[in-house]
Amino acid sequence: MNVNIDHELCVGHARCYLLEPDYITADERGRGVVRDDAPDMPPEVARKLVRACPEFAITIQRD
């Protein structure tokens, strides 16, 4: 399962990459970015990331 992070909505609260650093990292502006080297994301992790974002910038992309 994959997640998308909308950088138009993301303001860099850091919740996503603090919660799941194996999957999400920060860009130079402090916004969340899905790691290129991330393992396959379990559905429960994707759902946790969506719930953690106060700006609703994270959405689930189904394969």
Side-chain angles (χ1 to χ4, degrees):
M1 186 170 273
N2 295 315
V3 296
N4 290 319
I5 301 174
D6 184 337
H7 287 157
E8 298 281 326
L9 298 175
C10 179
V11 296
H13 284 288
R15 292 180 184 181
C16 56
Y17 50 87
L18 291 176
L19 280 174
E20 295 296 339
D22 290 339
Y23 300 99
I24 310 292
T25 190
D27 69 6
E28 65 280 348
R29 294 179 58 197
R31 298 174 301 187
V33 178
V34 178
R35 296 174 58 112
D36 290 334
D37 62 345
D40 289 336
M41 189 179 297
E44 60 273 9
V45 171
R47 288 189 291 271
K48 179 169 64 168
L49 289 169
V50 169
R51 288 190 307 269
C53 183
E55 287 4 73
F56 304 106
I58 302 175
T59 56
I60 293 175
Q61 175 186 343
R62 304 204 189 278
D63 297 330

